[in-house]
Each structure stands twice: as structure tokens, then as C-alpha cells.
Amino acid sequence: MIREAMLYERLEGNAVHCFLCNHHCRIKDGEVGFCRVRKNMDGKLNTLVYGKVVAASSDPIEKKPLYHFLPGSLSFSIATMGCNFHCGFCQNWQISQIDEAGMPDLPGWPLSPKQIVEEAQKAGCKSIAYTYTEPSIFFEYAYDTARLAKEAGLANVFVTNGFMTKEALETIADYLDACNVDLKSFNNEFYKTECQGRLKPVLNSIRTMKDLGIWVEVTTLIIPDKNDSDEEFQRIAGFISGVSPDLPWHISRFQPGYQYKDAYPTPAETLRKAYHKGKEAGLHFVYIGNLPGEEKDTVCPSCQHTLIRRSGFSAFKNRVSDSRCPECGATIPGVFS
């Protein structure tokens, strides 16, 4: 469905300036922005993906991954086509990367914000996750859904690359409860060449989310020979710890695919090295993903008792009560009820 976009201004000559994300596209009449799903039509910026999903399902919240936000609950997860990054290692490239810019009939099926909330309630979900692709590119759809979700007592979660503007975050902050931000590297050149983005706006978004009271967790996909050096791990962990040592850091294992078919999976020892660098930087909660048998449990940073036990995407034992450790009474950061 075509709907007028938010967060843009009109320019001379029927052009528009989109300030939804940090590409800050100046779009001529009849053309689309970098994301390919926002189009200038006669001097008015429109979203091409409103009300049309390419994915909708109930997932464990741990799959996002969010480990300190309503653990053990389900999250109704939706996505539309498109993304404002073009990453050759994308795990969901079939729906995030659009070959034909501004296609008049993008793939998907209709699902209104009201229907999304109803489906989430029917499935017993405690939240709605805007995920799989970059949620900020379907901002208007997410915004309207999030408002209805909040009225219905559901939480809202973004799984995001963090490239949105501060204006976008401030606009949706009252309805956004948690974010998992994909901090892909601490090297701006990596962002430029591998993602066609920039590092600094992502770092700014993480800080802004924290300042706005949104619960934040960070994920880094470790790609062999790309972002797997000791220095890289130290800089990422040091930044997260500087924002808050309580922010969980998820270290995720890379699997070959899309334009990286000839690469190899991340060695287990590399993930463990990143884990130890995170702990050395003072992070209280570091988790290893996509590697069975590794660090998934939540442990009290004060007394070291295990509080939440996980297997796969399931949290099968949760001892956190009123956000406190039952053994020593220490506050455990997160949203647990």
C-alpha cells in the first residue's frame, strides 16, 4: 500500500529530503531513496510497503536476540521488503535486498496494524518485534502498529542496524520498549565497503536509545577475516561498556551465504576470544550465539549464581524476581515482567 511518509521535507523543483535515516536522501521526482521503498511522487514522499508484510510469525524473544527483555515470552515478528544497508553477508537477503528499485507491486500480503495486534494477542505474545529486515524503512507501518500495540498492553521491539536518525528515534520513543542493535564493526571503512553505511550514526543511536530509556542489547556477527581481530573486539566491547556495562553483548557466529558463499563459519575459538574481551572490558553480560553449548545463561554479576538457563531459543528456568537476584539481592538490569 502506498502511504505518505513521515520525516521528510519538500525541496525546490519537486524534490524531497528524507531524514528517516542517516543516508539523508535527496530524492528527485519519480525516484526512490537508497532503501528503494520510499518514492518521490509529484513532490510528495511515499512509503511503498505500508500494510504489506513478507514475514509474520510468533518467535521466542530470545531469537531476536533479547535475553534481558521479557525472557521466555513470545514476540509476534513482522517485516516488509527492503533495507537501508546493502550487506553482502546478510542472513535475510531474500527479503531485505530489492533488485528492482521502486517496484509498483512489491512482494507480500496485506496485514493492517490492527490485524497485527490481534494476531499477536491470539498467539499469546507479550510483544511485537519489527525485525528480519530493517524496521526503520517501514517506519510509518511500525509506528501505527506500535501505538495500537501499546494501547493493547503489548511491548514493541526493534531489531535494527541502528542507522535511523535521532528524529526518528525521538518520534517513536514513547512506543518503543527495546532494541537489539546490530553493531557490525568498529571500523568505518567496514561500514562503507561492506554495508554502504557509516559507523558513527550507529554509535549515536545506541547512546540515544539508552538516553531515551529504551532497553538496549547489542549483537555483532563475527565474520572471519573481516571483523574478528583482537583490536576490533576490544573497541566494540569498550564502546558498549562506556555506554553501560549492563548492556548485553551478543556475539553471533557467521554462516556462509548470499555474496559470502565462499567464506567459512566463524571458528568457536574466535567467538570465545570475543567473549573474554567483552568480560575484560567490564561487560556484565556477554552471550555467544549460533554455537550450541556455549554461553547462553544469565549469571548474576555480583554472586555468580545462574539466574536464567537457556537452551537454543528457550529460557526454561528464570529465577529473577522483581529484577533482583534471589541469592544476593543484586539488581539485574533489564525488563523481566
Side-chain angles (χ1 to χ4, degrees):
M1 182 188 302
I2 294 174
R3 178 75 64 91
E4 184 174 5
M6 301 167 67
L7 299 167
Y8 83 97
E9 60 182 355
R10 298 171 187 259
L11 304 175
E12 292 183 4
N14 256 12
V16 298
H17 166 215
C18 177
F19 52 90
L20 172 66
C21 85
N22 277 284
H23 285 304
H24 280 280
C25 294
R26 264 72 174 176
I27 310 169
K28 295 178 181 178
D29 190 11
E31 296 185 356
V32 296
F34 187 86
C35 65
R36 303 186 181 189
V37 296
R38 298 168 80 76
K39 187 171 186 176
N40 181 349
M41 299 178 179
D42 298 320
K44 183 172 77 173
L45 186 63
N46 290 282
T47 169
L48 305 178
V49 292
Y50 189 98
K52 197 172 189 180
V53 297
V54 289
S57 64
S58 298
D59 289 335
I61 194 71
E62 286 78 13
K63 192 176 180 179
K64 299 305 106 188
L66 286 165
Y67 280 12
H68 289 237
F69 187 81
L70 304 179
S73 68
L74 292 176
S75 185
F76 194 75
S77 303
I78 64 164
T80 72
M81 292 290 292
C83 189
N84 55 359
F85 276 5
H86 295 164
C87 303
F89 49 84
C90 182
Q91 308 287 290
N92 292 319
W93 62 271
Q94 297 94 335
I95 56 176
S96 69
Q97 303 304 306
I98 299 174
D99 292 330
E100 188 177 344
M103 289 189 294
D105 190 21
L106 291 166
W109 66 91
L111 200 63
S112 71
K114 183 173 182 289
Q115 288 172 319
I116 291 170
V117 172
E118 290 171 348
E119 289 296 319
Q121 291 174 316
K122 275 192 260 181
C125 297
K126 290 188 177 181
S127 63
I128 295 174
Y130 310 83
T131 179
Y132 304 136
T133 60
E134 171 51 41
S136 63
I137 61 98
F138 57 94
F139 186 83
E140 297 78 12
Y141 190 21
Y143 180 84
D144 288 350
T145 304
R147 290 178 64 186
L148 292 179
K150 187 65 75 172
E151 291 173 6
L154 298 173
N156 294 291
V157 171
F158 267 19
V159 181
T160 174
N161 61 29
F163 205 62
M164 70 281 284
T165 59
K166 185 178 182 182
E167 293 93 333
L169 278 172
E170 290 175 340
T171 299
I172 202 169
D174 287 345
Y175 310 105
L176 188 57
D177 300 282
C179 286
N180 184 294
V181 182
D182 195 3
L183 180 53
K184 299 172 188 293
S185 169
F186 214 81
N187 185 330
N188 191 58
E189 190 61 29
F190 178 100
Y191 268 90
K192 287 171 60 179
T193 59
E194 306 293 336
C195 311
Q196 298 182 45
R198 288 176 287 120
L199 170 63
K200 187 175 180 181
V202 180
L203 304 182
N204 289 342
S205 287
I206 292 172
R207 294 188 188 100
T208 299
M209 291 170 187
K210 179 73 167 54
D211 291 343
L212 290 170
I214 299 166
W215 176 253
V216 183
E217 303 191 22
V218 177
T219 295
T220 303
L221 179 69
I222 306 298
I223 306 170
D225 303 322
K226 292 290 184 180
N227 63 349
D228 61 346
S229 69
D230 285 4
E231 180 184 7
E232 186 90 6
F233 298 153
Q234 289 165 351
R235 296 180 73 189
I236 292 173
F239 166 77
I240 298 171
S241 184
V243 177
S244 171
D246 291 330
L247 298 192
W249 183 29
H250 300 265
I251 303 157
S252 188
R253 190 185 198 196
F254 165 80
Q255 296 289 349
Y258 191 31
Q259 297 173 354
Y260 279 59
K261 290 186 180 72
D262 295 331
Y264 56 92
T266 320
E269 57 267 26
T270 302
L271 299 173
R272 295 182 189 117
K273 181 166 62 175
Y275 174 88
H276 290 298
K277 293 297 181 184
K279 287 294 188 177
E280 288 172 8
L283 292 176
H284 295 154
F285 307 101
V286 184
Y287 302 102
I288 295 176
N290 294 349
L291 190 65
E294 290 297 323
E295 301 290 342
K296 289 183 179 292
D297 294 344
T298 297
V299 175
C300 175
S302 295
C303 70
Q304 304 305 307
H305 276 85
T306 299
L307 301 177
I308 304 174
R309 290 197 178 277
R310 298 182 181 87
S311 177
F313 296 122
S314 298
F316 61 87
K317 186 176 184 180
N318 182 1
R319 302 179 62 222
V320 178
S321 178
D322 295 325
S323 296
R324 293 190 176 277
C325 170
E327 298 291 339
C328 70
T331 298
I332 307 302
V335 179
F336 296 99
S337 62

